[in-house]
Amino acid sequence: MDIKYAYYRSSVGYKIEGKTDNDILTAGGSTRPINSFWHDGNLNPLDYVPKTRTLTINGTAYDLSANRVITTPDTITRLKGGASGTLVSGDVTLAAGANMTINQTGSTITLVSTDTTYSAGNGLTLSGTSFSLPVTTSGTGNVVTGITQTANGITVSLGSMPTAADLANYVPLSQKGAANGVASLDASGLVPAAQLPSYVDDVLEGYYKTADGKFYKEAAYTNLITGETGKIYVSLDTNKTYRWTGTTFVYITSGAVDSVNGLTGVVVLNKSHVGLSNVDNTADAAKSVLSASKWTAARTITLSGVTSTAQTVDGTSNVTIPITAVPATLLTGTAAVNTTGSAAKLTTARTISASGDATWATSFDGSANVTSALTLAATGVAAGTYDEVTVDAKGRVVAGSNIVRSYTTAISGTSSIAHNLGTRNVDVDMYDTVTFYKIEGRIKLTDPNKIDIEFDSALPNTVSITVTRKDI
């Protein structure tokens, strides 16, 4: 046998170069596909279906490499007609009509007739048919007040006939709005004008428009009020009243004038309305001349018997008449004359005094100079030396205080000390009260009135602390 092919070893055995696993070597040296070989004893190609063949049912493809079981549903979805063509291929649709319903239980379809209407002359006779009409009642009583048809039958509403006592609580319709009856109410809850006496609405209110001489219901003159005789119309903007003559509205007046000195309405005149606000109704004979601020005509005043200068007086101010000479015949008795032009002494001594922040008083008659001590009023501050003082607007000390310069206390360990010195600018001195050695610690100026002191170890003895201000 000629060697026509090259072989190579693989993981599954020797293979022919360039051939597939399905190719086998024949005795003649060629190759053939393995599926072309069969044996009567154990390999019959007719017993097998090629894997490449498929079967499609209702759009679903099935390969034939294995046994398949196809199950059709109980529901018929499509029908195909025969050769006659009386039935066309398509879907089967079951649709109920107005008087038909369709029910399905399992594989059973039931057509049910509903809403069947029966009619007869004077009655209804059904033979061999079961017919029922459910009737229900609503309420109590012996009188049918209403019948209502429902989806399931008929509902009868029951009530009771009113008794004589019940009817006594009601007004007959014949008396509504009738003579010797009762008045009715309109949509606004008011008695209609037609049922009121004529005099009830004899006065109507509205707004009179001068421009057209008509009455309106609103100030905007929108809805007209029709005039009627025998009625009074009041204009709400002026309070004037009018009457209807049959053709026009006439202003009703009592005969008085419509205005006085420009004033309208009910007018009460006083003197200020006519420019007499300064009139006091006092007779001229009863008036005091002293109340006049000026005379109508100025007058001249002169002195007789002496030499003087006449002065004009009109009452607006005081006047002084200078006298330049007095005749000797007018002088009698003895008169002491001071040639210096001033008195040497007061007839009555006078007291001169002062009050307020200082008091002072002295008696003075002009005969000699006087001296008196001035006493200042005490401000309430005790005499002494103060670190701080309060001064008022007059320069007086009204308060004083001394600043606390230091604060001393004793501690036995880490402590917070309230010194109340009001400042962080302080010196802190500490010493052992037994050995008198100076002690050091961590000092924190917490606020202007307190310090915190910390020690790294316990103190053997009590320590004296002195906090001293530095800003004094």
Side-chain angles (χ1 to χ4, degrees), residues 84 111 122 135 158 223 314 375 380:
S84 64
L111 304 180
N122 297 326
V135 178
L158 301 178
N223 296 309
D314 61 3
T375 302

Side-chain angles (χ1 to χ4, degrees), residues 430-440 459-464:
M430 299 184 291
Y431 67 90
D432 190 304
T433 57
V434 176
T435 64
F436 297 104
Y437 282 111
K438 186 173 183 181
I439 303 299
E440 299 293 340
L459 298 177
N461 303 308
T462 301
V463 173
S464 175

Side-chain angles (χ1 to χ4, degrees), residues 198-445:
S198 60
Y199 57 82
V200 173
D201 56 351
D202 281 350
V203 178
L204 300 179
E205 294 181 334
Y207 295 87
Y208 179 73
K209 186 176 180 181
T210 307
D212 58 8
K214 297 180 180 180
F215 250 90
Y216 295 86
K217 294 181 179 180
E218 306 88 0
Y221 307 126
T222 304
N223 296 309
L224 187 68
I225 297 177
T226 303
E228 298 179 56
T229 57
K231 296 184 183 296
I232 301 298
Y233 298 85
V234 180
S235 184
L236 295 176
D237 52 350
T238 62
N239 286 328
K240 291 184 177 181
T241 57
Y242 299 80
R243 65 179 181 86
W244 175 249
T245 65
T247 56
T248 185
F249 289 98
V250 177
Y251 172 54
I252 301 174
T253 176
S254 62
V257 296
D258 288 340
S259 65
V260 177
N261 197 31
L263 302 175
T264 60
V266 179
V267 178
V268 178
L269 282 180
N270 56 47
K271 58 186 179 181
S272 62
H273 292 147
V274 292
L276 299 176
S277 56
N278 295 324
V279 176
D280 56 6
N281 294 329
T282 303
D284 292 342
K287 292 181 179 178
S288 174
V289 177
L290 296 177
S291 64
S293 60
K294 184 178 180 180
W295 297 344
T296 302
R299 303 299 181 183
T300 299
I301 299 177
T302 60
L303 296 178
S304 60
V306 297
T307 303
S308 61
T309 302
Q311 298 293 316
T312 300
V313 180
D314 61 3
T316 58
S317 61
N318 298 328
V319 297
T320 301
I321 301 176
I323 299 176
T324 57
V326 179
T329 55
L330 298 178
L331 299 176
T332 60
T334 302
V337 179
N338 191 322
T339 58
T340 61
S342 59
K345 182 179 179 181
L346 296 175
T347 303
T348 302
R350 301 298 182 185
T351 299
I352 304 175
S353 62
S355 61
D357 295 332
T359 57
W360 170 81
T362 185
S363 179
F364 179 72
D365 62 2
S367 61
N369 297 330
V370 295
T371 301
S372 178
L374 178 67
T375 302
L376 292 175
T379 62
V381 181
T385 302
Y386 297 95
D387 296 326
E388 294 179 347
V389 295
T390 301
V391 180
D392 65 7
K394 298 178 181 179
R396 300 181 305 161
V397 175
V398 294
S401 62
N402 291 316
I403 300 175
V404 178
R405 289 174 170 80
S406 64
Y407 174 80
T408 301
T409 186
I411 62 175
S412 58
T414 297
S415 301
S416 178
I417 299 174
H419 53 74
N420 296 323
L421 296 179
T423 178
R424 286 190 173 91
N425 192 12
V426 296
D427 285 331
V428 181
D429 294 322
M430 299 184 291
Y431 67 90
D432 190 304
T433 57
V434 176
T435 64
F436 297 104
Y437 282 111
K438 186 173 183 181
I439 303 299
E440 299 293 340
R442 288 188 297 276
I443 301 173
K444 180 181 180 182
L445 303 176

